Structures are given as structure tokens and as C-alpha cells.
Amino acid sequence: MTAALAYVALSVTPVAATSYTMVKEYYGSTFFNDWTFYNNYDNLTNGDVTYVSAQQATQYQLAYVDSSTNHAIIKVDNTSTVVYDNKRNSVRIASSDTFAVGSLWAADMYHVPYGCSVWPAWWSQAPVWPQGGEIDTFEGINTNTQNQMSLHTETGCTAIGQNQTSTLVASTNCSYAANEDQGCIVTDPSTSSYGAGFASAGGGTFVTEMASTGISMWFFQRSQIPSSLSGNASTIDTSTFGVPVANWPSTGCNIDQFFQPQNLIFDITLCGDWADGVTWNDTCSGICYNDWVMGNGTDYNDAYFEVGYVRVFSTTGTNTVVTSNTTTSSGSSPTSSSTPGSSGAMGLPHGYVWMSSIAVLLVGLLSSALLTI
């Protein structure tokens, strides 16, 4: 994730157009009805947060729908005083349903989290990682000004012949086993795609297409959102979107092989492996935990998502929704809480590989021991 960007020449020919029909919408008073709250400390990216339950999120006003705008708010606790060796409360939610190849999802946001120590993401992954793949549509740290997009897969998926507008390509090998699992990264050149610049421009819409022909991502500033999205059309055609800002075609990555149905995820962690990594001093000062997480929380007044909607579309004539059979947690009117055990099945996000490697090693050792008995 911290690799230097390479400027490369890429094709910007028109992409193949596909028609999609809306099959799921998260919006308004029921926005949080079909999400599972992680309800555990951040044991995935070593962040200094505790991800709260649905009930706590409602009680502490960390996940709620603003009745004046009908927008969903997902935020870091900015009112409590955190003392040494404690973590600050935050939110991580994953969609109860998963969405298969042939899906497109759009997230309309008015504000995204930013600031020193802040590490937000809007992304997806299959329940089994890395076998089912991971798609990071929106991710950044600290006071960065540009959004980073990436894929993480098993070995064998690479970015070849990308048809996209961005020339900022940091890596092309998507394998979790390569380059410390930085994934195949494309950075949006627009300074309105992340942070304070995103908010001052009125936000915008992130679109992710997971098709057999490739994975593509678009970002539209508020003033440039296509009418099919701004007008709440039930059917959209990607030909109206233009060339994506990032693209990973199937020529180098068999999408049906490397990507299984995806859970959609919002999360905000603090510090952790990336935000408190080697680039910390590039934009921030002091010690990440001591000087930012600790204290009265006013440093996190900008650490929140404001989401107008999330809409999921399936290729017209199909239904790519894989419905969950488990009870989910609701932030707006909670009925039950998720447990660390159940949410642990969601996998390992953002390149956190060593835990899965240890698990594989332990299984191998156990199998060998049983064979010798």
C-alpha cells in the first residue's frame, strides 16, 4: 500500500457497455437494517479502535440516520476522553447479503472520514479470504488527498491492458502473497476523491462494477454524477459512465475464478498498520496513538461517512444477490448484536496476511501429528 506510484501509459478506449437493474437499496430510515456490526476490537489491521455493536452504535450515535437529510452517518467517537491503553470506539459494518459476479454497486457520499490517524475504507470481500478476493473502492489515510483503489486475490491475478483514465499505478500484481499484500493499486488523480477536497466539492458517487470481463471503478464528483444515478433510475447503462478511473480486465485476471460473492463493508479504524506506518511523518506529526487517539476526541470531528445511499444492481435479466441465512444487526432499530465469532468469518481485510498464514501452518502441523499417531 505504501509503494511509490508509477506513471504509465494506459488505454482510454471506450469500455464495453452493460445494462444493469437495481436489486437492492440501502437508504433512509432503513439504511442500517441489513448490515452486521463487527462488535470487537480491531484485530484485523491493528488499529486503536473498538468496533461497537449495533446497540452501542445507536446508543452512542456512531451509526444513525440523520432525520433532517435522510443520510446515514457512520463515525468515530469524537466526544469521549480516551486514556492510555484504551481504544476509541468506531464502526465497522458488513452487508448481510453478498453479491456475485455480474453485480454493480454505487455509493453516494457527501463526506468521508479524514485527518491524522484516520484510516477509512469502503470496500468488499468474500466470506473466505483471500480465496474469494477483495475489492477496495475507497481507501485512504491521514491527510492524504487522493483515493486509492486496489484488488487483493490469490496468486495468478494481474493487471494487464488496463483501460482507465488514471495513470497512477503503484503495482500490478494482485496476489496477497506478493509485495506484502499491497495488491494491485490504482490512485485517483483527483484531489476531490478523498479528504477535505471531497467534502468541499460536495462529495460524489463511487461506482464498482464486478463483471466477468473485468472489475472497473468510477468516481463522479457531485456536479458530474450521471443522470441515471442522480435520478434514481432502476436501470442503468455503463456506456453513460465513460472510461473508468480504474480497471482490471479479465485478460490478466479471471474474475469468475478469483472473485466470489462479496460482502460490502464500511469501516473506520485509527492508526494501525497503514495509517501509523512508514508514511506517518509525511503528513502528520507526533505519535499516532498518544497524540491523536488519546484525549477528548475533538481531533475526530471530520472522521465520519455521510452516505446518501448504497444501491446494488445486477446484470439485466439476472439476480446476483446471495441472501444471508443468518440474523443481522440493525443500527437504526437494533434487534440483535453480532459476535466476534460470527464476524470473524468475514475474513482479513486490507492486506492483513500473517493470521491466515499461521492458520494454514497450524492446520498442516496438526494433520502431520495425527498421521504419526
Side-chain angles (χ1 to χ4, degrees):
M1 287 187 177
T2 57
L5 294 176
Y7 291 79
V8 297
L10 298 165
S11 170
V12 290
T13 57
V15 293
T18 304
S19 176
Y20 290 89
T21 301
M22 186 163 62
V23 291
K24 182 78 174 180
E25 182 177 45
Y26 305 88
Y27 170 76
S29 61
T30 61
F31 182 94
F32 291 104
N33 281 7
D34 292 322
W35 302 85
T36 300
F37 284 69
Y38 192 61
N39 191 25
N40 196 35
Y41 71 95
D42 179 4
N43 58 345
L44 302 172
T45 56
N46 289 326
D48 292 308
V49 301
T50 296
Y51 293 126
V52 297
S53 67
Q55 182 176 359
Q56 291 170 323
T58 300
Q59 178 183 351
Y60 304 144
Q61 289 287 279
L62 300 184
Y64 63 94
V65 175
D66 184 337
S67 59
S68 66
T69 61
N70 251 359
H71 296 167
I73 305 298
I74 303 166
K75 61 181 289 189
V76 172
D77 172 20
N78 65 332
T79 61
S80 301
T81 296
V82 172
V83 298
Y84 181 75
D85 212 26
N86 287 343
K87 296 177 182 291
R88 186 169 291 281
N89 284 340
S90 186
V91 175
R92 170 184 157 128
I93 57 174
S95 63
S96 303
D97 296 332
T98 58
F99 305 98
V101 173
S103 299
L104 177 148
W105 48 89
D108 188 56
M109 305 187 201
Y110 290 81
H111 189 280
V112 294
Y114 65 91
C116 286
S117 79
V118 180
W119 177 3
W122 160 241
W123 57 294
S124 72
Q125 69 172 32
V128 179
W129 188 98
Q131 291 89 336
E134 172 185 337
I135 304 171
D136 300 333
T137 300
F138 167 85
E139 187 173 24
I141 55 169
N142 302 326
T143 58
N144 285 3
T145 60
Q146 296 165 296
N147 177 42
Q148 176 176 292
M149 300 154 285
S150 61
L151 306 182
H152 301 261
T153 68
E154 288 195 294
T155 300
C157 175
T158 57
I160 298 174
Q162 292 172 277
N163 181 22
Q164 61 189 39
T165 60
S166 176
T167 60
L168 305 179
V169 177
S171 56
T172 56
N173 190 340
C174 306
S175 172
Y176 78 99
N179 305 315
E180 299 181 342
D181 187 30
Q182 68 176 357
C184 42
I185 301 171
V186 176
T187 298
D188 192 327
S190 171
T191 56
S192 296
S193 63
Y194 185 80
F198 180 92
S200 64
T205 301
F206 297 95
V207 178
T208 305
E209 179 185 39
M210 183 173 66
S212 294
T213 55
I215 292 174
S216 299
M217 300 179 192
W218 292 262
F219 169 63
F220 302 106
Q221 295 181 37
R222 181 69 47 199
S223 60
Q224 300 171 347
I225 298 174
S227 58
S228 59
L229 294 175
S230 62
N232 194 20
S234 60
T235 301
I236 59 174
D237 189 327
T238 55
S239 66
T240 65
F241 293 171
V243 178
V245 67
N247 169 248
W248 295 267
S250 58
T251 50
C253 182
N254 185 325
I255 304 303
D256 293 297
Q257 174 186 348
F258 289 101
F259 290 89
Q260 297 168 6
Q262 303 277 299
N263 292 98
L264 309 182
I265 304 172
F266 284 100
D267 74 63
I268 316 171
T269 194
L270 303 175
C271 300
D273 299 319
W274 190 25
D276 191 23
V278 295
T279 62
W280 166 259
N281 289 322
D282 292 349
T283 58
C284 297
S285 61
I287 299 174
C288 191
Y289 175 76
N290 295 43
D291 295 320
W292 297 90
V293 179
M294 288 175 57
N296 61 22
T298 55
D299 287 327
Y300 298 110
N301 289 344
D302 286 313
Y304 67 93
F305 285 103
E306 181 179 354
V307 185
Y309 63 77
V310 172
R311 295 177 187 147
V312 182
F313 299 78
S314 296
T315 306
T316 299
T318 70
N319 187 347
T320 57
V321 180
V322 181
T323 303
S324 170
N325 292 322
T326 59
T327 301
T328 61
S329 301
S330 165
S332 54
S333 54
T335 56
S336 64
S337 298
S338 62
T339 64
S342 63
S343 56
M346 304 310 295
L348 307 174
H350 308 312
Y352 211 72
V353 180
W354 67 272
M355 293 176 69
S356 60
S357 301
I358 291 175
V360 172
L361 176 62
L362 289 174
V363 171
L365 291 174
L366 179 60
S367 300
S368 298
L370 291 173
L371 290 173
T372 59
I373 293 175

